[in-house]
Amino acid sequence: NIGLVNSEKDLLAKCLSFNNSKVAVLGAAGGIGQPLSLLLKNSPLVSQLSLYDIAHTPGVAADLSHIETRAKVTGYLGPEQLGECLKGCEVVVIPAGVPRKPGMTRDDLFTTNATIVAVLSEACARHCPEAMMCIISNPVNSTIPITSEIFKKHGVYNPNKIFGVSTLDIVRANTFVAELKGLDPARVSVPVIGGHAGKTIIPIISQCTPKVEFNQDQLVTLIARIQEAGTEVVKAKAGAGSATLSMAYAGARFVFSLLDAMNGKEGVVECAFVRSEETEMPYFSTPLLLGKNGIEKNLGMGKLTPFEEKLVAEAMAELKGSIKKGEDFVKSAK
């Protein structure tokens, strides 16, 4: 004790705790994985960064390890090194999988990505069952039920620690609203509820801060753009992939919020696709108050306009099918 007052002690404790988070990125050599790993390496919240992929990870890790920040970077290659990669991890981020190509829906990725997420979730359930699981791999509406069912099988399921990262929908909603209204996007906050595909993406413009007004035609056009923004990128990249840079940014934003909350910061709220009792669907995205152990409180949908209620009702059938598809995949797996 060097004569610090309590507030300074708290600050010191906080600074020290900032540098003690081990984060794993599974799929770290991919289009999302590389920029996501770069953003995580650049953060004082991360002390150890474990990178895993089936190819190229040693190179990505060597490259990132030269950056002048504290996070120690280690690369792991192939299934035989996966267990070692996950040991002691507090947060696991999974962007692994195949990207969309023009003409594909997120659902078209199901068979390949479902298998990848199942294998990785299995390893996490064995080697770091207490970790926060942040799933980016699409279709998120199905991959979250897959991860949940696998954790249940291993008897380590905690619904407060499994998140479908839908943050990119919020980032896009904030950006598009700001563009239309001439606002600073960093100061715009639009909750997005439902799921993470097509019409299951439901931006709640009526709850935007600051308050914004659109006529019905503008609203319909804006919501359609937010829902189809991923396809906008897929088309623009013309076969060279899907949203990787903006997804890496959104994934990092979610992980930083989670680490802040785990470090004791209060009032941290993010939307994510999680186990939920807010609707008749077993999984649903809403604003969540995050805490030291994951979800502290589900803040629910809040007050919706009749138009927004209609969007929620119209999303239910698709959401139900996607969730069932994920659950059935695990049940039928050998």
Side-chain angles (χ1 to χ4, degrees):
N1 188 333
I2 47 171
L4 296 174
V5 297
N6 283 340
S7 60
E8 289 171 327
K9 281 183 195 166
D10 290 347
L11 187 61
L12 183 63
K14 229 172 218 183
C15 290
L16 293 171
S17 70
F18 275 178
N19 296 312
N20 286 321
S21 295
K22 185 175 180 183
V23 179
V25 180
L26 310 185
I32 297 167
Q34 289 201 41
L36 173 60
S37 299
L38 172 62
L39 292 167
L40 294 172
K41 169 70 174 122
N42 196 39
S43 170
L45 293 165
V46 180
S47 62
Q48 291 182 69
L49 192 55
S50 265
L51 307 182
Y52 172 81
D53 216 316
I54 53 169
H56 312 304
T57 350
V60 174
D63 195 357
L64 287 175
S65 71
H66 293 179
I67 292 171
E68 55 181 359
T69 58
R70 277 192 192 162
K72 184 178 184 301
V73 186
T74 318
Y76 297 88
L77 191 62
E80 59 288 341
Q81 293 185 9
L82 181 53
E84 190 58 35
C85 168
L86 294 169
K87 265 185 205 158
C89 284
E90 289 146 285
V91 177
V92 178
V93 197
I94 306 186
V98 293
R100 282 201 290 160
K101 290 189 166 59
M104 287 174 86
T105 66
R106 287 179 181 87
D107 212 43
D108 292 334
L109 309 173
F110 180 81
T111 310
T112 306
N113 287 1
T115 306
I116 292 167
V117 170
V119 167
L120 296 175
S121 296
E122 185 93 27
C124 293
R126 289 180 194 278
H127 298 286
C128 56
E130 295 290 309
M132 304 287 177
M133 301 292 297
C134 305
I135 314 296
I136 290 171
S137 311
N138 274 314
V140 164
N141 294 355
S142 300
T143 54
I144 284 300
I146 288 171
T147 299
S148 299
E149 290 303 311
I150 283 170
F151 271 61
K152 283 179 197 172
K153 269 190 174 181
H154 285 267
V156 293
Y157 178 56
N158 182 345
N160 294 328
K161 292 186 171 187
I162 297 177
F163 302 92
V165 181
S166 59
T167 317
L168 183 51
D169 299 326
I170 291 94
V171 166
R172 285 166 167 160
N174 295 346
T175 302
F176 300 163
V177 166
E179 283 173 359
L180 290 170
K181 293 294 179 185
L183 300 166
D184 174 0
R187 295 181 181 276
V188 176
S189 181
V190 180
V192 181
I193 66 171
H196 182 58
K199 67 181 179 186
T200 71
I201 298 168
I202 306 159
I204 307 301
I205 307 295
S206 68
Q207 292 176 24
C208 175
T209 50
K211 196 148 183 55
V212 291
E213 298 287 340
F214 295 100
N215 66 40
Q216 191 61 20
D217 286 350
Q218 290 172 322
L219 200 55
V220 168
T221 305
L222 171 62
I223 288 171
R225 187 178 177 208
I226 294 164
Q227 289 176 337
E228 292 306 317
T231 305
E232 195 178 299
V233 176
V234 169
K235 282 180 180 169
K237 287 195 173 180
S242 55
T244 53
L245 301 172
S246 53
M247 184 61 246
Y249 166 85
R253 172 183 141 163
F254 184 80
V255 172
F256 297 152
S257 289
L258 198 50
L259 289 171
D260 273 338
M262 289 163 72
N263 281 329
K265 184 176 176 181
E266 292 181 0
V268 179
V269 175
E270 289 281 359
C271 296
F273 187 67
V274 297
R275 181 79 199 176
S276 172
E277 291 173 5
E278 296 302 312
T279 68
E280 67 267 30
M281 290 300 121
Y283 299 90
F284 201 81
S285 182
T286 45
L288 308 165
L289 178 65
L290 301 175
K292 291 188 176 187
N293 300 305
I295 301 169
E296 199 160 283
K297 188 182 181 191
N298 193 320
L299 301 176
M301 291 189 273
K303 191 171 176 355
L304 306 183
T305 65
F307 175 63
E308 288 161 350
E309 284 174 355
K310 184 166 166 277
L311 293 177
V312 171
E314 286 170 355
M316 288 303 179
E318 185 182 323
L319 210 44
K320 187 178 183 180
S322 299
I323 291 166
K324 186 175 185 303
K325 196 169 180 177
E327 290 174 339
D328 288 351
F329 178 83
V330 178
K331 281 174 192 156
S332 63
K334 291 183 177 56

